Amino acid sequence: MNDELLIGIDFGTSTIFVSKYDFEKKDAVQVENMGAYGRSNIFDNVIYIEGDKKYIIGETKRFLTDPLNYFHDIKRHVTNDNKRWRVPNLNNREVTAKDISEMIFFKIKEKIESNFGGKKISGAVITVPYAYSDKYRKRIKESAERAGIPVIQLVEEPVAAAISFGIFNDEVQNNKKENIVVFDLGGGTFDLTVFQFEKSDKQHAKIEVLNTGGHQELGGKDIDKLLSERFRKEFLQLEFSDITNDQERAEVQLGLLELANDTKEELTHSNDSDVFKSVTVNSQRTLIEKNFIRTEFEELLKRNNFIGKIEESLQTAIDESGLEVSEIDRVVLAGGSSAIPIIKRTIRDFFGFEPEAKKNLGELVGHGAGILAGLSKDKSLHYEIIRKTSKSVGISLGNKFQPILRKNSRYGEISSSYLINIENLKDADELVIYFYEGDSVKIDQCERIGKATIKTGEFSAQRVYLSLYRDEKSGELFFKFYKDNNKKEIIVSKKIESLD
Amino acid sequence: MNDQTREALLIINKTIDNRKKRLFYAIDSFQIQDNWNMTKIRDEYLLIIEKHFSNIIDEIVRTISTGINSLNEKHIYRELLNIFNRFLKSIGIYTILIAKGEKVDEAKWKLIDPQICGECSTNDKDLKDIIKEVLSLPYMVDDNRAVLNGKAFFWSVK
Ligand SMILES: Nc1ncnc2c1ncn2[C@@H]1O[C@H](COP(=O)(O)OP(=O)(O)O)[C@@H](O)[C@H]1O
């Protein structure tokens, strides 16, 4: 029996979850004791840097006592090119989000390997958001590799969720094409993915991503805010800014958010919640005391258009997939906030049937990553995954974005060609073309992701045709220049250069 | 007993009432998964009970502490806290001492949660990991584990 250490890492925005492939069970199982002190398996994606190669992960305490050596929300910063920090405990060395990710991966590796008696990780699959462009995917991959983790591949979070859900669910029949929606509402983001899924048995499956959508900034934290605002207005009758003492204000704000979070989660399984807390405001004790019923909570979500946004996103995601609502066979829930009854009801009313939650909602993605890690070594597994480009890629025409490779083009599919006129360039000139990624017609709403540099001498033509495609396996972007519009004669074909 | 003390007692009662409901719900909905062995079941069960217990202790200690800090009937609140701690001790939950000015080592860090603090900033690097003020003590159970972490202000080195 193969006993290699193959792992899946869900490197989430707020939390991390690690699984390990079990060759006997042909399934991924959670790796335990990964959190800082407790017995938690899902732990906060935060790090405290004590010194060179001395890190504590998953523990939020140092935020208050040593904020300059403490980092959170790192995954959000991975997409920021300019962010740098000086770390006092590293002799004020300047670090990027990529460096900090590397430290987190270093510690993850150390913990996993000590959990398994010092055995080395022989391969890992790491999850990334579907919308991450190459640039950021590369950053995540390299930071793990520099930490000493051999990366088998990256996998998009919803793809991992679909694998976890589809493969081990006996209700998903063999040899039947199913259209599946993964509905992932977490703490800060909302991701919708439409798939076509077909398996012939547990070892053979085909997964095609039809469309991705959702909302970059919508999640459980927004609900906590709405509810805490509600409590503030009803019981304190003052603005937070009216609380003069800094410490008291921070305590009240945090206290109300905690109370809101508590109440929200209780209303998931109970029809009402006895809200009770005493807070001290301007040295006066105030009691927050109320029997809060679920319908009132639901009204709040409706009135503030939280539900409306969910419905809109669902409609757009299905429309863009090219399917009719009636063609969707299943909806799979992921993410902690998907457990909320009115959210489930909204989904049910939209599709006309109940959504399903098979696994612990927070573990679905990491579980899928672990299965994929196993797939790489366990030759009995054959999954084919057809991915699609999540945002259009193109060039700038003044202030306008000109898409060339369109959203939802398959990986491997070569775009139609776009005419570029190079009449004015001399032979010795270099032609530099920048590539952008986005959903907008305005270039400043899109993101510059790479470039191509070509010696014009190579062209020997005044008009050339440009096509783009993504490598079928890695998803990396390539460009091709043709002499003609029929894509017959290739002049150059290369990988897009990164801007890093 | 004055009105404030009466009110504090009322809050304590209500807190217990309020949290009791949640504890019972959590115990009711405790589910054993197929692949759990005895140790795992024990751990998971304890985890739930501890979480809710710590919540009750937390609210009560907080209520009493506000009394000790801001009102004139300090001695009554001190006594209340003593009674409460004695009761907890009789069921196996005890406190350990942490003190102002103490430098916290890695083992103790596990037992203390630093609190948001308005006037704790300092440039003095020697004050790293040093307690500026103790707010409440860690509450422990038999095998040296905290059911409820202590709370303290720490110096925050900028
Ligand atoms: N039972 C529940 N009812 C309502 N919301 C929940 C419940 N459990 C967790 N949540 C919420 O889910 C969010 C966390 O989602 P999760 O998917 O774990 O995180 P991530 O942000 O990393 O995707 C939090 O806002 C949390 O309050």
Side-chain angles (χ1 to χ4, degrees):
Chain A
M1 174 82 39
N2 191 331
D3 69 342
E4 279 180 77
L5 194 47
L6 297 171
I7 60 166
I9 305 174
D10 175 8
F11 191 71
T13 312
S14 37
T15 54
I16 298 177
F17 174 72
V18 181
S19 73
K20 166 194 180 291
Y21 189 71
D22 184 320
F23 285 89
E24 205 169 323
K25 293 185 182 146
K26 290 207 182 306
D27 194 356
V29 294
Q30 65 183 24
V31 177
E32 303 198 346
N33 301 316
M34 290 296 298
Y37 295 132
R39 291 162 285 184
S40 56
N41 302 319
I42 297 182
F43 57 98
D44 287 317
N45 193 348
V46 301
I47 182 169
Y48 174 66
I49 302 173
E50 285 189 297
D52 203 29
K53 300 223 152 57
K54 280 177 71 187
Y55 317 121
I56 297 176
I57 55 172
E59 187 227 70
T60 53
K61 291 178 185 182
R62 314 289 173 133
F63 170 57
L64 291 173
T65 62
D66 196 1
L68 297 181
N69 290 301
Y70 172 90
F71 298 88
H72 64 136
D73 255 354
I74 274 308
K75 195 173 159 198
R76 254 184 243 286
H77 292 303
V78 167
T79 55
N80 183 335
D81 292 342
N82 304 316
K83 191 87 188 167
R84 281 182 172 68
W85 300 266
R86 286 194 183 283
V87 185
N89 283 353
L90 295 176
N91 293 324
N92 277 327
R93 202 168 86 207
E94 206 176 68
V95 298
T96 62
K98 184 174 162 182
D99 298 328
I100 296 175
S101 303
E102 177 185 331
M103 299 176 207
I104 297 174
F105 281 119
F106 179 87
K107 194 66 196 182
I108 290 177
K109 176 181 186 303
E110 197 178 88
K111 285 203 165 196
I112 295 174
E113 293 180 348
S114 88
N115 256 344
F116 290 98
K119 185 154 54 168
K120 293 269 169 273
I121 295 173
S122 54
V125 170
I126 300 171
T127 65
V128 288
Y130 200 91
Y132 255 27
S133 61
D134 290 348
K135 188 159 117 184
Y136 309 130
R137 288 175 191 226
K138 214 176 285 165
R139 278 186 197 163
I140 294 285
K141 182 159 182 263
E142 282 175 6
S143 60
E145 284 170 345
R146 284 186 195 166
I149 298 178
V151 179
I152 302 167
Q153 70 171 96
L154 300 177
V155 63
E156 296 82 355
E157 289 154 6
V159 174
I163 290 173
S164 165
F165 171 81
I167 307 291
F168 292 89
N169 183 347
D170 293 331
E171 285 167 33
V172 178
Q173 288 169 25
N174 291 347
N175 302 313
K176 178 172 168 265
K177 258 195 195 137
E178 292 209 8
N179 295 317
I180 300 179
V181 173
V182 174
F183 182 102
D184 182 355
L185 187 61
T189 54
F190 172 35
D191 291 309
L192 274 170
T193 316
V194 188
F195 292 96
Q196 197 159 71
F197 190 94
E198 189 180 7
K199 67 174 175 187
S200 40
D201 53 48
K202 282 197 172 63
Q203 279 79 47
H204 297 78
K206 184 173 158 187
I207 298 167
E208 176 167 359
V209 179
L210 299 179
N211 187 40
T212 52
H215 213 287
Q216 285 290 305
E217 276 153 25
L218 193 70
K221 282 184 193 150
D222 300 294
I223 301 178
D224 297 347
K225 265 186 228 144
L226 286 176
L227 200 51
S228 95
E229 273 299 287
R230 163 76 204 259
F231 292 152
R232 178 185 65 77
K233 283 186 194 136
E234 182 170 347
F235 293 98
L236 304 187
Q237 286 128 8
L238 48 70
E239 301 287 331
F240 286 128
S241 56
D242 295 336
I243 306 176
T244 43
N245 182 311
D246 287 351
Q247 195 172 307
E248 216 174 79
R249 180 174 351 100
E251 262 167 33
V252 172
Q253 261 173 323
L254 206 67
L256 284 191
L257 275 176
E258 275 171 12
L259 185 68
N261 187 275
D262 235 34
T263 308
K264 171 187 79 175
E265 294 192 7
E266 190 176 16
L267 288 175
T268 289
H269 58 74
S270 177
N271 271 320
D272 65 327
S273 170
D274 285 320
V275 180
F276 181 79
K277 194 173 184 75
S278 73
V279 291
T280 310
V281 175
N282 294 338
S283 302
Q284 280 283 319
R285 181 141 54 204
T286 305
L287 280 192
I288 297 178
E289 191 176 10
K290 180 187 177 68
N291 179 268
F292 199 57
I293 52 173
R294 190 190 275 164
T295 45
E296 219 176 325
F297 171 66
E298 298 181 340
E299 272 312 308
L300 184 76
L301 295 187
K302 283 189 207 154
R303 210 171 41 243
N304 288 280
N305 202 32
F306 192 91
I307 301 300
K309 283 183 195 157
I310 301 260
E311 286 169 331
E312 255 169 56
S313 301
L314 279 171
Q315 190 63 55
T316 311
I318 301 299
D319 287 347
E320 286 185 1
S321 74
L323 296 175
E324 298 289 330
V325 172
S326 60
E327 290 177 282
I328 302 296
D329 299 293
R330 283 168 200 283
V331 179
V332 183
L333 301 180
S337 308
S338 308
I340 298 172
I342 190 176
I343 304 284
K344 284 193 190 164
R345 238 186 303 127
T346 304
I347 301 170
R348 184 195 64 202
D349 292 347
F350 185 89
F351 290 99
F353 54 83
E354 293 290 340
E356 306 167 52
K358 285 290 170 195
K359 279 244 160 213
N360 188 338
L361 293 173
E363 296 177 5
L364 201 67
V365 171
H367 178 243
I371 294 177
L372 260 186
L375 156 76
S376 71
K377 289 290 159 69
D378 189 331
K379 293 292 186 281
S380 61
L381 292 174
H382 303 277
Y383 300 157
E384 182 189 349
I385 298 162
I386 299 170
R387 299 181 172 86
K388 303 217 161 146
T389 201
S390 59
K391 287 178 191 159
S392 298
V393 182
I395 56 175
S396 76
L397 295 179
N399 294 324
K400 231 184 99 216
F401 173 55
Q402 172 62 51
I404 294 176
L405 184 69
R406 304 231 170 224
K407 176 175 178 175
N408 286 344
S409 310
R410 278 193 188 191
Y411 281 21
E413 180 184 325
I414 298 171
S415 75
S416 52
S417 57
Y418 184 82
L419 170 69
I420 294 191
N421 200 326
I422 49 169
E423 273 167 23
N424 299 329
L425 294 175
K426 291 192 254 356
D427 270 8
D429 284 349
E430 249 184 8
L431 173 68
V432 180
I433 296 178
Y434 285 101
F435 296 104
Y436 297 79
E437 190 177 65
D439 293 324
S440 169
V441 290
K442 291 195 200 128
I443 202 72
D444 55 10
Q445 306 275 319
C446 299
E447 194 186 353
R448 193 189 266 201
I449 53 163
K451 63 175 182 179
T453 318
I454 304 119
K455 286 260 182 305
T456 27
E458 292 181 50
F459 283 130
S460 76
Q462 309 235 298
R463 303 172 133 225
V464 290
Y465 296 85
L466 170 67
S467 284
L468 297 174
Y469 70 99
R470 283 185 185 278
D471 178 71
E472 191 139 13
K473 232 176 153 239
S474 70
E476 284 175 317
L477 275 167
F478 286 74
F479 66 87
K480 280 177 192 282
F481 278 103
Y482 301 95
K483 265 197 178 140
D484 56 348
N485 200 6
N486 310 321
K487 301 198 274 193
K488 285 216 179 81
E489 253 188 275
I490 299 174
I491 307 170
V492 270
S493 176
K494 270 191 199 147
K495 192 150 96 179
I496 284 180
E497 300 156 39
S498 76
L499 300 170
D500 273 356
Chain B
M1 221 188 334
N2 72 4
D3 282 353
Q4 279 162 327
T5 318
R6 215 184 305 277
E7 191 196 306
L9 282 176
L10 186 74
I11 292 174
I12 293 170
N13 284 342
K14 283 188 171 171
T15 304
I16 294 176
D17 231 33
N18 184 263
R19 300 285 154 173
K20 213 167 56 188
K21 212 176 115 190
R22 283 165 204 222
L23 174 64
F24 289 157
Y25 173 81
I27 291 174
D28 271 352
S29 52
F30 182 70
Q31 276 179 349
I32 298 171
Q33 289 177 16
D34 294 343
N35 55 349
W36 288 3
N37 57 19
M38 232 13 246
T39 325
K40 179 80 177 162
I41 295 173
R42 197 196 78 122
D43 281 358
E44 292 289 329
Y45 197 71
L46 273 179
L47 210 61
I48 290 179
I49 295 187
E50 278 178 16
K51 181 180 148 200
H52 288 271
F53 239 90
S54 70
N55 224 311
I56 297 177
I57 300 173
D58 188 27
E59 287 289 328
I60 291 174
V61 171
R62 218 166 41 84
T63 306
I64 298 176
S65 305
T66 341
I68 292 179
N69 289 331
S70 63
L71 300 168
N72 34 21
E73 299 208 347
K74 279 178 198 276
H75 61 285
I76 296 184
Y77 286 94
R78 285 240 164 75
E79 190 47 32
L80 263 179
L81 190 57
N82 280 336
I83 294 170
F84 185 61
N85 285 346
R86 272 204 300 277
F87 161 71
L88 289 176
K89 201 161 185 182
S90 73
I91 59 167
I93 301 175
Y94 60 94
T95 55
I96 57 168
L97 228 50
I98 52 173
K100 176 176 173 168
E102 185 176 340
K103 187 165 177 96
V104 171
D105 63 10
E106 203 47 39
K108 252 192 180 165
W109 254 113
K110 295 182 197 181
L111 312 177
I112 310 172
D113 290 338
Q115 301 297 298
I116 297 174
C117 171
E119 288 140 14
C120 290
S121 279
T122 176
N123 293 319
D124 185 351
K125 292 210 163 39
D126 291 340
L127 289 177
K128 185 165 131 57
D129 293 340
I130 292 203
I131 296 177
K132 181 168 183 273
E133 192 181 333
V134 175
L135 300 172
S136 61
L137 303 176
Y139 284 79
M140 315 288 292
V141 281
D142 55 352
D143 51 351
N144 251 322
R145 209 152 28 99
V147 262
L148 177 67
N149 280 350
K151 290 180 184 164
F153 291 142
F154 279 77
W155 290 104
S156 178
V157 185
K158 298 278 166 181

